Structure formats: structure tokens, C-alpha cells
Amino acid sequence: MREVTRQIIGAAIEVHRHLGPGLLESAYEECLCYELSQSGLRFQRQLAIPVQYKGLRLSCDYRLDLIVEDSVIVEIKTVDQLAPIHTAQLLTYLKATNRSLGLLINFNVPVLKDGVKRLANHYVQPGNDASVSAPSANESREDAGPDSLVTSLRVSPDLGVSAVNRRAQ
């Protein structure tokens, strides 16, 4: 995993060298994905991770920026300074996906090495590999079956958990 993180950081440095600070996260993400693909690294982007609450899967999702080589989560920021909430966000993603390593990369810095933070999840559950696959185009929440939260709680996909108390349509 050390080699994968080294390649990710190298790709991020290359992007920052060409673009510098000051752009939106989406621009850096697009360019970073290009560099990762040029390096031969496999990745998924804007991955929806379901929110689990008391054993229920809610219809709202976390959305992580990148997962590289199915092992390292990369969260991209363009902020004046990384805050504790950014660290908490990445740690939540690591725990939710049962991954052990993440990179928090803030592109809004003069020198990128000052914007990179490596985080480890020390609570990885052996043999409990959480699914982090993007839903297929054919997959919908209504087709989820009788055990799904959508059916049992009638949660609106577009309103998320705020619709729990809504009457069935």
C-alpha cells in the first residue's frame, strides 16, 4: 500500500505543478484521475457509500471522491486550511468501507506536500470487507426487495431520511 500512496501523491504533485492552487475540487479530481490512469492505477470516483444506522441502510449516501486500487481512499479539498471536520470525514469513510488507509489532499496550498495528510483506520474488521461498488444504471432503490429500508420505511430517494415520517404515496 505504501507504493500505491506514493504513486497517488506523485500524481497529485504533478497536477498541482501544472494547475497550482485556486481551482474547484472537481477540476483537481478530473486531472488527478487522468494522472492515475496514466500510471496504470485502478480507481473509482464519486463512490456512493450507504449510511448505516442501527442496522438499517438509509437512502442517503456518503460520497467519497476516489478509492484507488480498492485500498486507498482519497478525499480532495480546496480549502484555506484543513480542519478537524475534514479528518473526521475521511475517517468516517474509512470505517464505513472497512479500509485502512486514506489520503486527504488539499490543493489550495502553495506547496502540495503541505496539503497532504495520511490517515489510518486502526479499526479494520478482518474478513468484513464492506462493499464499495457503484450502483449499476439498472439498479434502483425501489427494486431493493423486502429487506430494504426503502420498502420498510418508505424513504424517498430524493428526500433521504427526512422522508421517514412521510405517508406512503
Side-chain angles (χ1 to χ4, degrees), residues 116-128:
V116 176
K117 186 172 184 178
R118 184 181 186 272
L119 295 173
N121 173 14
H122 299 289
Y123 302 100
V124 174
Q125 303 297 316
N128 184 21

mmCIF file with all atom_site columns, all heavy atoms in Angstrom, residues 116-128:
data_model
loop_
_atom_site.group_PDB
_atom_site.id
_atom_site.type_symbol
_atom_site.label_atom_id
_atom_site.label_alt_id
_atom_site.label_comp_id
_atom_site.label_asym_id
_atom_site.label_entity_id
_atom_site.label_seq_id
_atom_site.pdbx_PDB_ins_code
_atom_site.Cartn_x
_atom_site.Cartn_y
_atom_site.Cartn_z
_atom_site.occupancy
_atom_site.B_iso_or_equiv
_atom_site.pdbx_formal_charge
_atom_site.auth_seq_id
_atom_site.auth_comp_id
_atom_site.auth_asym_id
_atom_site.auth_atom_id
_atom_site.pdbx_PDB_model_num
ATOM 1   N N   . VAL A 1 116 ? -1.012  17.516  2.149  1.00 0.00 ? 116 VAL A N   1
ATOM 2   C CA  . VAL A 1 116 ? -1.283  16.079  2.141  1.00 0.00 ? 116 VAL A CA  1
ATOM 3   C C   . VAL A 1 116 ? -1.266  15.542  3.565  1.00 0.00 ? 116 VAL A C   1
ATOM 4   O O   . VAL A 1 116 ? -0.329  15.788  4.322  1.00 0.00 ? 116 VAL A O   1
ATOM 5   C CB  . VAL A 1 116 ? -0.250  15.313  1.279  1.00 0.00 ? 116 VAL A CB  1
ATOM 6   C CG1 . VAL A 1 116 ? -0.481  13.811  1.357  1.00 0.00 ? 116 VAL A CG1 1
ATOM 7   C CG2 . VAL A 1 116 ? -0.306  15.783  -0.159 1.00 0.00 ? 116 VAL A CG2 1
ATOM 8   N N   . LYS A 1 117 ? -2.325  14.816  3.906  1.00 0.00 ? 117 LYS A N   1
ATOM 9   C CA  . LYS A 1 117 ? -2.421  14.197  5.231  1.00 0.00 ? 117 LYS A CA  1
ATOM 10  C C   . LYS A 1 117 ? -2.785  12.731  5.039  1.00 0.00 ? 117 LYS A C   1
ATOM 11  O O   . LYS A 1 117 ? -3.759  12.410  4.356  1.00 0.00 ? 117 LYS A O   1
ATOM 12  C CB  . LYS A 1 117 ? -3.481  14.916  6.061  1.00 0.00 ? 117 LYS A CB  1
ATOM 13  C CG  . LYS A 1 117 ? -3.561  14.456  7.486  1.00 0.00 ? 117 LYS A CG  1
ATOM 14  C CD  . LYS A 1 117 ? -4.504  15.346  8.280  1.00 0.00 ? 117 LYS A CD  1
ATOM 15  C CE  . LYS A 1 117 ? -4.512  14.934  9.734  1.00 0.00 ? 117 LYS A CE  1
ATOM 16  N NZ  . LYS A 1 117 ? -5.368  15.810  10.529 1.00 0.00 ? 117 LYS A NZ  1
ATOM 17  N N   . ARG A 1 118 ? -2.000  11.854  5.624  1.00 0.00 ? 118 ARG A N   1
ATOM 18  C CA  . ARG A 1 118 ? -2.227  10.408  5.544  1.00 0.00 ? 118 ARG A CA  1
ATOM 19  C C   . ARG A 1 118 ? -2.940  9.973   6.814  1.00 0.00 ? 118 ARG A C   1
ATOM 20  O O   . ARG A 1 118 ? -2.497  10.288  7.919  1.00 0.00 ? 118 ARG A O   1
ATOM 21  C CB  . ARG A 1 118 ? -0.883  9.702   5.416  1.00 0.00 ? 118 ARG A CB  1
ATOM 22  C CG  . ARG A 1 118 ? -0.939  8.218   5.224  1.00 0.00 ? 118 ARG A CG  1
ATOM 23  C CD  . ARG A 1 118 ? 0.497   7.675   5.150  1.00 0.00 ? 118 ARG A CD  1
ATOM 24  N NE  . ARG A 1 118 ? 0.542   6.286   4.838  1.00 0.00 ? 118 ARG A NE  1
ATOM 25  C CZ  . ARG A 1 118 ? 0.490   5.315   5.735  1.00 0.00 ? 118 ARG A CZ  1
ATOM 26  N NH1 . ARG A 1 118 ? 0.394   5.608   7.012  1.00 0.00 ? 118 ARG A NH1 1
ATOM 27  N NH2 . ARG A 1 118 ? 0.541   4.056   5.367  1.00 0.00 ? 118 ARG A NH2 1
ATOM 28  N N   . LEU A 1 119 ? -4.058  9.248   6.664  1.00 0.00 ? 119 LEU A N   1
ATOM 29  C CA  . LEU A 1 119 ? -4.821  8.777   7.821  1.00 0.00 ? 119 LEU A CA  1
ATOM 30  C C   . LEU A 1 119 ? -4.962  7.267   7.786  1.00 0.00 ? 119 LEU A C   1
ATOM 31  O O   . LEU A 1 119 ? -5.170  6.689   6.725  1.00 0.00 ? 119 LEU A O   1
ATOM 32  C CB  . LEU A 1 119 ? -6.217  9.396   7.835  1.00 0.00 ? 119 LEU A CB  1
ATOM 33  C CG  . LEU A 1 119 ? -6.287  10.905  8.026  1.00 0.00 ? 119 LEU A CG  1
ATOM 34  C CD1 . LEU A 1 119 ? -7.703  11.391  7.853  1.00 0.00 ? 119 LEU A CD1 1
ATOM 35  C CD2 . LEU A 1 119 ? -5.773  11.277  9.396  1.00 0.00 ? 119 LEU A CD2 1
ATOM 36  N N   . ALA A 1 120 ? -4.864  6.661   8.968  1.00 0.00 ? 120 ALA A N   1
ATOM 37  C CA  . ALA A 1 120 ? -5.026  5.215   9.085  1.00 0.00 ? 120 ALA A CA  1
ATOM 38  C C   . ALA A 1 120 ? -6.236  4.896   9.941  1.00 0.00 ? 120 ALA A C   1
ATOM 39  O O   . ALA A 1 120 ? -6.492  5.563   10.947 1.00 0.00 ? 120 ALA A O   1
ATOM 40  C CB  . ALA A 1 120 ? -3.776  4.600   9.694  1.00 0.00 ? 120 ALA A CB  1
ATOM 41  N N   . ASN A 1 121 ? -6.975  3.896   9.530  1.00 0.00 ? 121 ASN A N   1
ATOM 42  C CA  . ASN A 1 121 ? -8.100  3.373   10.294 1.00 0.00 ? 121 ASN A CA  1
ATOM 43  C C   . ASN A 1 121 ? -7.573  2.154   11.047 1.00 0.00 ? 121 ASN A C   1
ATOM 44  O O   . ASN A 1 121 ? -7.285  1.126   10.447 1.00 0.00 ? 121 ASN A O   1
ATOM 45  C CB  . ASN A 1 121 ? -9.240  2.988   9.356  1.00 0.00 ? 121 ASN A CB  1
ATOM 46  C CG  . ASN A 1 121 ? -10.375 2.291   10.064 1.00 0.00 ? 121 ASN A CG  1
ATOM 47  O OD1 . ASN A 1 121 ? -10.477 2.303   11.286 1.00 0.00 ? 121 ASN A OD1 1
ATOM 48  N ND2 . ASN A 1 121 ? -11.234 1.663   9.289  1.00 0.00 ? 121 ASN A ND2 1
ATOM 49  N N   . HIS A 1 122 ? -7.472  2.263   12.346 1.00 0.00 ? 122 HIS A N   1
ATOM 50  C CA  . HIS A 1 122 ? -6.939  1.169   13.153 1.00 0.00 ? 122 HIS A CA  1
ATOM 51  C C   . HIS A 1 122 ? -8.036  0.205   13.593 1.00 0.00 ? 122 HIS A C   1
ATOM 52  O O   . HIS A 1 122 ? -7.797  -0.674  14.401 1.00 0.00 ? 122 HIS A O   1
ATOM 53  C CB  . HIS A 1 122 ? -6.202  1.730   14.370 1.00 0.00 ? 122 HIS A CB  1
ATOM 54  C CG  . HIS A 1 122 ? -5.040  2.588   13.994 1.00 0.00 ? 122 HIS A CG  1
ATOM 55  N ND1 . HIS A 1 122 ? -3.885  2.081   13.452 1.00 0.00 ? 122 HIS A ND1 1
ATOM 56  C CD2 . HIS A 1 122 ? -4.871  3.934   14.035 1.00 0.00 ? 122 HIS A CD2 1
ATOM 57  C CE1 . HIS A 1 122 ? -3.040  3.069   13.199 1.00 0.00 ? 122 HIS A CE1 1
ATOM 58  N NE2 . HIS A 1 122 ? -3.619  4.206   13.537 1.00 0.00 ? 122 HIS A NE2 1
ATOM 59  N N   . TYR A 1 123 ? -9.232  0.374   13.063 1.00 0.00 ? 123 TYR A N   1
ATOM 60  C CA  . TYR A 1 123 ? -10.364 -0.457  13.464 1.00 0.00 ? 123 TYR A CA  1
ATOM 61  C C   . TYR A 1 123 ? -10.903 -1.300  12.327 1.00 0.00 ? 123 TYR A C   1
ATOM 62  O O   . TYR A 1 123 ? -12.082 -1.579  12.267 1.00 0.00 ? 123 TYR A O   1
ATOM 63  C CB  . TYR A 1 123 ? -11.486 0.427   14.038 1.00 0.00 ? 123 TYR A CB  1
ATOM 64  C CG  . TYR A 1 123 ? -11.006 1.225   15.218 1.00 0.00 ? 123 TYR A CG  1
ATOM 65  C CD1 . TYR A 1 123 ? -10.658 2.551   15.079 1.00 0.00 ? 123 TYR A CD1 1
ATOM 66  C CD2 . TYR A 1 123 ? -10.869 0.626   16.456 1.00 0.00 ? 123 TYR A CD2 1
ATOM 67  C CE1 . TYR A 1 123 ? -10.185 3.284   16.164 1.00 0.00 ? 123 TYR A CE1 1
ATOM 68  C CE2 . TYR A 1 123 ? -10.396 1.351   17.548 1.00 0.00 ? 123 TYR A CE2 1
ATOM 69  C CZ  . TYR A 1 123 ? -10.061 2.672   17.387 1.00 0.00 ? 123 TYR A CZ  1
ATOM 70  O OH  . TYR A 1 123 ? -9.594  3.379   18.446 1.00 0.00 ? 123 TYR A OH  1
ATOM 71  N N   . VAL A 1 124 ? -10.036 -1.703  11.417 1.00 0.00 ? 124 VAL A N   1
ATOM 72  C CA  . VAL A 1 124 ? -10.451 -2.540  10.298 1.00 0.00 ? 124 VAL A CA  1
ATOM 73  C C   . VAL A 1 124 ? -10.860 -3.900  10.841 1.00 0.00 ? 124 VAL A C   1
ATOM 74  O O   . VAL A 1 124 ? -10.156 -4.495  11.649 1.00 0.00 ? 124 VAL A O   1
ATOM 75  C CB  . VAL A 1 124 ? -9.311  -2.680  9.265  1.00 0.00 ? 124 VAL A CB  1
ATOM 76  C CG1 . VAL A 1 124 ? -9.669  -3.664  8.178  1.00 0.00 ? 124 VAL A CG1 1
ATOM 77  C CG2 . VAL A 1 124 ? -8.970  -1.323  8.676  1.00 0.00 ? 124 VAL A CG2 1
ATOM 78  N N   . GLN A 1 125 ? -12.024 -4.364  10.406 1.00 0.00 ? 125 GLN A N   1
ATOM 79  C CA  . GLN A 1 125 ? -12.543 -5.661  10.838 1.00 0.00 ? 125 GLN A CA  1
ATOM 80  C C   . GLN A 1 125 ? -12.087 -6.736  9.852  1.00 0.00 ? 125 GLN A C   1
ATOM 81  O O   . GLN A 1 125 ? -12.454 -6.684  8.691  1.00 0.00 ? 125 GLN A O   1
ATOM 82  C CB  . GLN A 1 125 ? -14.078 -5.630  10.898 1.00 0.00 ? 125 GLN A CB  1
ATOM 83  C CG  . GLN A 1 125 ? -14.626 -4.558  11.808 1.00 0.00 ? 125 GLN A CG  1
ATOM 84  C CD  . GLN A 1 125 ? -14.222 -4.779  13.253 1.00 0.00 ? 125 GLN A CD  1
ATOM 85  O OE1 . GLN A 1 125 ? -14.284 -5.891  13.743 1.00 0.00 ? 125 GLN A OE1 1
ATOM 86  N NE2 . GLN A 1 125 ? -13.793 -3.723  13.913 1.00 0.00 ? 125 GLN A NE2 1
ATOM 87  N N   . PRO A 1 126 ? -11.296 -7.711  10.309 1.00 0.00 ? 126 PRO A N   1
ATOM 88  C CA  . PRO A 1 126 ? -10.839 -8.769  9.398  1.00 0.00 ? 126 PRO A CA  1
ATOM 89  C C   . PRO A 1 126 ? -12.019 -9.537  8.817  1.00 0.00 ? 126 PRO A C   1
ATOM 90  O O   . PRO A 1 126 ? -12.974 -9.845  9.527  1.00 0.00 ? 126 PRO A O   1
ATOM 91  C CB  . PRO A 1 126 ? -9.991  -9.678  10.276 1.00 0.00 ? 126 PRO A CB  1
ATOM 92  C CG  . PRO A 1 126 ? -9.864  -9.006  11.594 1.00 0.00 ? 126 PRO A CG  1
ATOM 93  C CD  . PRO A 1 126 ? -10.847 -7.897  11.661 1.00 0.00 ? 126 PRO A CD  1
ATOM 94  N N   . GLY A 1 127 ? -11.932 -9.823  7.535  1.00 0.00 ? 127 GLY A N   1
ATOM 95  C CA  . GLY A 1 127 ? -12.962 -10.610 6.872  1.00 0.00 ? 127 GLY A CA  1
ATOM 96  C C   . GLY A 1 127 ? -14.292 -9.903  6.719  1.00 0.00 ? 127 GLY A C   1
ATOM 97  O O   . GLY A 1 127 ? -15.279 -10.511 6.354  1.00 0.00 ? 127 GLY A O   1
ATOM 98  N N   . ASN A 1 128 ? -14.327 -8.599  6.988  1.00 0.00 ? 128 ASN A N   1
ATOM 99  C CA  . ASN A 1 128 ? -15.567 -7.838  6.882  1.00 0.00 ? 128 ASN A CA  1
ATOM 100 C C   . ASN A 1 128 ? -15.379 -6.745  5.844  1.00 0.00 ? 128 ASN A C   1
ATOM 101 O O   . ASN A 1 128 ? -15.492 -5.576  6.132  1.00 0.00 ? 128 ASN A O   1
ATOM 102 C CB  . ASN A 1 128 ? -15.930 -7.236  8.248  1.00 0.00 ? 128 ASN A CB  1
ATOM 103 C CG  . ASN A 1 128 ? -17.266 -6.526  8.220  1.00 0.00 ? 128 ASN A CG  1
ATOM 104 O OD1 . ASN A 1 128 ? -18.077 -6.785  7.356  1.00 0.00 ? 128 ASN A OD1 1
ATOM 105 N ND2 . ASN A 1 128 ? -17.473 -5.632  9.162  1.00 0.00 ? 128 ASN A ND2 1
#
